[in-house]
Amino acid sequence: MNLIAFLSANSWKKKQHLSERRKPDYCYRYGRKTVMLASGPLSLLSWMIAITTRSLISLYIIRIIQGLTVGITFTVVPIYLAEITEPKLRGQLGTYFQIFWYVGLVHSYATGPYFDYQTYLYLACIQPVLFFVCFICIPETPYYLLMAKKEEEAFKALSWLRANKDVAIEFAEIKESVEEEMKNNGSWKDLVATKKDRMALLIVQVACVVKYMSGMAALVLYATQTFSESSRLNLTSDQMTLMIPLILIVTTWLTSLMADTVGRRPLMIVSSIGSVVCHTIVAVYYYLDKETDIDVSSYMWITYASLISFCVITNVGVGPLLMTIQAEYFPSHTRAKGGIITGIVGGLASFVNIRQYQFVEDYFGLYMNYVIFALICLAGTILFSAILHETAGKSLGEIQRNLSDTINVDNKTKRLP
């Protein structure tokens, strides 16, 4: 494989997870909106440097800036979406984060192979400009404004977000929830201060590890290499690669329609079980093809069907719902810090997932990658069944109270003779 591309892809993950550490103080000090707005100019700056310079040092600077931008996005956007959305729509809108992430992949895969370097960079400048122009008029979250003691602004923001409907009851509930949660100081220790906090942290990190270690990162990065090895379809490897994010967009959109009706927990469990099946099929095929003398070349279509099925099934739950779960399980005073931990864990998990793929293929065989992915998804299925609570249709305050009630019931049950 191309060593420079490999190191470049991994360095992006390193920069992302290192940049995650800087977000919580900014998120609380300047607000969710202001920090998110900063990602637009930062992204534009990185592309402008790429347009105007040609040196290795410039590439490192670009990677650092883009890592910072992605760190902001993955940390603050889920918080913003959770805090502005009605409970009945939170799951649906939360999945749109993942949808537009895949739209960005489509943009890259659709323009990269067909435009020259300079034109591609100019096209990449369009998105951050559009984001900044459109988002500058959107209000700050009511939760943050109440945390900042700006009650009047919080009420106006909530009214704007609800299209000027009567929000008195909802505003009172949000205010009560924020006041209760802000009794704690929001330090890093509060992430593990109580059994409820530790359970919330565990649930989110399990979902995070399963998402990023299930193989999607490696599949997307190595898609062209995988499809170019033995494609028997009437499509080029670039076209097959472009199909992946298009499929992900469609399936994630379908998930957005089910997230608030079917619920988070069933979708996460079904998604992880389906991923186990898909990875097992691919592992068996590659084992027979690479490690034995059995001729299975005529069944190559099964591999493609299974990989595409994995893209579909993982985006039924594990893929898009992590951001929603992350924002729901942490209370207001630790939501940003919890997002930082999740971002770091996700960055490290993606880094390991990408690094392991080529290493495992070289030393153990390509099939072993999919065995590992299947085992991780199997572990996710078991853990989701055991510890994941349903949050669909509940306010952020209700989720915290229900989690506390569940912990209290479990403690009382253990004391019974």
Side-chain angles (χ1 to χ4, degrees), residues 120-221:
Y120 174 81
L121 293 176
Y122 280 118
L123 290 173
C125 293
I126 296 174
Q127 291 90 336
V129 173
L130 283 176
F131 162 73
F132 189 86
V133 171
C134 294
F135 191 66
I136 197 169
C137 300
I138 308 298
E140 179 60 86
T141 76
Y143 277 84
Y144 172 76
L145 292 172
L146 284 171
M147 291 166 63
K149 310 298 182 183
K150 299 177 181 179
E151 187 171 329
E152 184 177 348
E153 290 183 39
F155 187 86
K156 291 179 179 178
L158 185 62
S159 298
W160 189 93
L161 291 165
R162 302 294 182 264
N164 296 316
K165 295 179 182 178
D166 184 4
V167 295
I169 296 177
E170 182 182 3
F171 182 76
E173 292 175 351
I174 293 175
K175 182 179 178 182
E176 180 183 358
S177 175
V178 171
E179 289 175 349
E180 178 66 27
E181 293 171 7
M182 291 304 292
K183 290 178 181 178
N184 299 309
N185 60 13
S187 67
W188 289 100
K189 291 181 180 179
D190 287 330
L191 286 169
V192 292
T194 66
K195 191 172 182 179
K196 175 182 76 71
D197 296 321
R198 292 190 292 273
M199 178 59 70
L201 184 64
L202 173 64
I203 291 171
V204 176
Q205 301 322 306
V206 166
C208 180
V209 170
V210 172
K211 173 180 177 176
Y212 289 109
M213 289 292 290
S214 65
M216 181 58 72
L219 176 60
V220 170
L221 181 64

Side-chain angles (χ1 to χ4, degrees), residues 209-210 213-214 276 353 356 371-381:
V209 170
V210 172
M213 289 292 290
S214 65
V276 172
N353 188 243
Q356 82 164 41
V371 171
I372 294 171
F373 298 156
L375 291 175
I376 290 170
C377 292
L378 178 61
T381 302

Side-chain angles (χ1 to χ4, degrees), residues 13 19 47-48 53 57 87 123 130 151 160 176 180 190 201 205 225 243 275 284 309 323 351 355 395 401 415-416:
K13 283 297 177 186
S19 70
W47 294 121
M48 294 304 297
T53 62
I57 297 298
L123 290 173
L130 283 176
E151 187 171 329
W160 189 93
E176 180 183 358
E180 178 66 27
D190 287 330
L201 184 64
Q205 301 322 306
Q225 176 183 329
M243 281 180 59
S275 297
V284 170
S309 296
M323 296 302 172
F351 176 71
R355 285 295 295 264
S395 69
R401 289 192 292 272
R415 295 192 192 103
L416 293 177

